[in-house]
Amino acid sequence: MLRLAALFAFLLPQVADSAVCEIQRFEDTSFTACEVRVGEDLRLFHSGPSGPLGSFNAVNAALAAEGKTLGFAMNAGMYHPNRAPVGLLIEQGSTQSDIVTAQGPGNFGLLPNGVFCIGERFSVVESRAFSATPPKCSYATQSGPMLVIDGALHPRLIPDSDSTFIRNGVGVSADGTRAVFVISNDRVNFHRFARFFRDALGLPDALYFDGKISRLYAPAVRRNDLGFAMGPMVGTVVNKD
């Protein structure tokens, strides 16, 4: 049985046209990976008319007005106690929170950190490079640290680190046509998590989203994790049957 630390999950019915999600094992660790391709309706979600949405259920309630629902979703970046994003957040082409390029405490400030951009293609861009030459993004979220940078692991990651948590993040293919969203089903350190993106999935760039509070909504694998209210979330949008 998968161990989902500090999370609760319940069974869900299958949703047509939901993201391709599957469970994979790498070095005795279980991961769930959800692949999204360019052309799918992938969005970032943070706030509604009454403030931060905070949950997958709230996103689904907002999408119901469009006759839509989530195909899959996960938390997508760090946030302050009031659920405001720590760094850059772009929603529907509008900047809701500015980029942060200074080194700082915690995982977010462990430079290089980066930005996941949803545009004509997907990209993971180092934050200072993004700030210097911003690409056109319909949606973007900043987090840190980068896990894989042009095929190289972040230099501060420690192979035998005993700092292990349930973690989640995103990796992007070299041609930008695929984004793979990953959550560990077992506790994992940064080094192994990064190597899963590079060595198991073959992705040259990957960005850490968060740990401890990492959660996944994936009807394809009958999963909907519950927990404290979240900040930014990312997910595909599909027709509601």
Side-chain angles (χ1 to χ4, degrees):
M1 180 178 292
L2 300 180
R3 289 176 285 130
L4 306 176
L7 301 176
F8 299 93
F10 57 84
L11 294 182
L12 293 168
Q14 293 283 348
V15 173
D17 300 320
S18 58
V20 177
C21 297
E22 61 179 8
I23 297 171
Q24 301 184 31
R25 294 200 67 84
F26 176 69
E27 296 181 351
D28 297 323
T29 302
S30 173
F31 299 88
T32 298
C34 297
E35 180 175 308
V36 178
R37 292 184 175 269
V38 164
E40 295 183 58
D41 188 356
L42 181 67
R43 309 181 195 178
L44 282 159
F45 305 93
H46 183 264
S47 295
S50 301
L53 293 165
S55 71
F56 303 134
N57 287 343
V59 174
N60 271 330
L63 289 173
E66 303 177 37
K68 306 283 188 178
T69 190
L70 287 168
F72 106 98
M74 66 168 45
N75 55 299
M78 299 175 189
Y79 52 94
H80 297 289
N82 66 355
R83 286 182 277 159
V86 172
L88 178 71
L89 182 69
I90 298 174
E91 291 183 275
Q92 298 181 330
S94 176
T95 300
Q96 305 298 315
S97 179
D98 292 330
I99 196 166
V100 175
T101 57
Q103 186 171 357
N107 294 324
F108 183 94
L110 186 62
L111 300 185
N113 57 19
V115 176
F116 172 60
C117 169
I118 304 169
E120 291 185 359
R121 292 177 181 264
F122 305 126
S123 59
V124 170
V125 184
E126 188 274 325
S127 294
R128 291 179 176 177
F130 187 102
S131 180
T133 311
K136 186 175 181 179
C137 307
S138 298
Y139 298 89
T141 183
Q142 183 184 11
S143 193
M146 293 278 286
L147 297 169
V148 188
I149 311 155
D150 293 329
L153 300 185
H154 190 295
R156 298 283 297 277
L157 305 188
I158 302 169
D160 58 353
S161 171
D162 61 2
S163 176
T164 61
F165 293 99
I166 302 296
R167 303 183 187 275
N168 74 302
V170 61
V172 173
S173 63
D175 63 4
T177 62
R178 296 184 300 120
V180 184
F181 299 86
V182 176
I183 186 168
S184 66
N185 301 317
D186 303 318
R187 295 169 65 97
V188 66
N189 66 22
F190 272 122
H191 198 274
R192 182 173 294 184
F193 192 48
R195 285 188 292 108
F196 178 72
F197 283 100
R198 186 188 68 177
D199 301 341
L201 299 179
L203 301 174
D205 296 288
L207 177 67
Y208 181 61
F209 277 155
D210 212 339
K212 298 184 183 180
I213 61 91
S214 298
R215 296 201 291 285
L216 176 67
Y217 174 91
V221 291
R222 300 184 180 276
R223 183 166 167 181
N224 184 2
D225 299 339
L226 303 177
F228 294 112
M230 294 174 281
M233 293 167 279
V234 64
T236 54
V237 176
V238 299
N239 291 326
K240 187 175 183 179
D241 291 338

